[in-house]
Amino acid sequence: QVQLVESGGGFVQAGGSLRLSCTSSGSIRLYTMEWHRQAPGKQRELVAAMTTSGSTTYSDSVKGRFTISRDDANNMMNLQMNGLVPEDTGVYLCNAVQWTSGEWNEYWGQGTQVTVSS
């Protein structure tokens, strides 16, 4: 099992940058790591993901602005967010997911708030 803790959220003006971090209590080496966003009144959406082999996926809304990275040696994942817009506002949650023994295992952090003002 892993426990995930996000950090780095805050308040920023449009056009600014933030760097989010997700720290795990255990090894993330075998997990696909994901960042999700929960905006007020909207469904939770996948923002970015990185597999164990380093393949990345981004939502169309953040492609070219956000960069996901992982540091398995230190059990961490980051999300560099540049060119922030008000629509990026929301709670950002870290997720670790693994398919093993015929079932999905996933763990979530509590989230970190990102607020972008216009």
Side-chain angles (χ1 to χ4, degrees):
Q1 281 194 351
V2 298
Q3 290 184 325
L4 304 173
V5 178
E6 301 92 338
S7 61
F11 184 92
V12 64
Q13 290 189 331
S17 299
L18 284 173
R19 184 176 178 84
L20 306 183
S21 294
C22 172
T23 302
S24 172
S25 63
S27 175
I28 63 170
R29 184 173 59 88
L30 299 179
Y31 292 88
T32 289
M33 299 300 295
E34 302 176 344
W35 284 101
H36 294 247
R37 176 168 69 198
Q38 180 73 63
K42 295 184 178 180
Q43 283 190 326
R44 185 176 295 182
E45 64 170 325
L46 175 65
V47 172
M50 180 174 274
T51 68
T52 56
S53 63
S55 296
T56 57
T57 301
Y58 296 93
S59 68
D60 288 343
S61 64
V62 307
K63 203 171 294 183
R65 299 187 297 120
F66 290 11
T67 303
I68 188 172
S69 61
R70 62 189 292 164
D71 179 355
D72 288 358
N74 292 298
N75 299 321
M76 290 184 62
M77 172 179 66
N78 297 304
L79 185 68
Q80 179 65 44
M81 306 187 296
N82 298 327
L84 285 162
V85 297
E87 291 73 24
D88 294 320
T89 293
V91 177
Y92 284 71
L93 301 111
C94 173
N95 179 232
V97 60
Q98 180 189 34
W99 175 260
T100 183
S101 302
E103 63 181 13
W104 289 105
N105 292 315
E106 63 176 347
Y107 304 95
W108 290 89
Q110 293 298 308
T112 185
Q113 176 71 44
V114 171
T115 303
V116 184
S117 67
S118 57

